[in-house]
Amino acid sequence: MANMEVKKANFGPLGLLGFGMTTVLLNLVNSGLVEFSIVIIAMGIALGGLAQIIAGVLSYKQGNTFAGTAFTAYGFFWLSFVIIKLFGNLFPAADFLLSMGFYLLLWCIFTLFMAIGTLKHSTISKMVFWSLTLLFFLLAIGDFVAYANGSMIVTQIAGYVGILCGLFAMYDALGQIVNGELGKDVLPL
């Protein structure tokens, strides 16, 4: 029997698309360009949550700890975010923005360390993680400011950073797919 080389699957594009598309959609809301709706909930569960978790678990299976950690963690971020949006109104609202600020600040800290982990990765990977770090920081500050005085301006600014971050992730995913299929660097990463 001929020795056939089995091509190793790349689960990165699935995880990046799940992250990128959901991030763009949510940050259209944060920026004030569209209203929050069931569309964000559905995208958060299916593509933001489940697709990233699947990509993460399969990345772990191939020995890629960075991708496994990133996709699994951010997939569960999206699922927890959906739970917060669906059930948050069942609890007293007095400190909701304050607790959301700390929730997002913890994600900022985690993302900062993941961004440091990209220092030897592609330029676009660095752009995704460093812009995501800035996004979580601005969203946390936005919730702290809104808690203090009701202003949503920082969250709206964060929304534009989030749209850019999501587009970076989508470009990374599509670049990996197109370059991999064509066997050459058509889209620089």
Side-chain angles (χ1 to χ4, degrees), residues 83-148:
I83 291 168
I84 291 165
K85 287 296 185 181
L86 288 176
F87 302 109
N89 63 349
L90 299 177
F91 299 91
D95 290 338
F96 178 76
L97 287 172
L98 183 62
S99 61
M100 275 302 292
F102 284 111
Y103 168 83
L104 294 164
L105 187 60
L106 288 171
W107 280 103
C108 175
I109 293 166
F110 167 71
T111 303
L112 173 63
F113 283 94
M114 294 301 286
I116 292 168
T118 68
L119 291 178
K120 290 189 175 183
H121 291 199
S122 68
T123 299
I124 192 67
S125 181
K126 291 175 199 156
M127 292 168 71
V128 170
F129 279 90
W130 287 103
S131 65
L132 182 58
T133 303
L134 178 59
L135 172 61
F136 276 128
F137 178 75
L138 290 172
L139 288 172
I141 297 302
D143 281 347
F144 292 142
V145 168
Y147 173 76

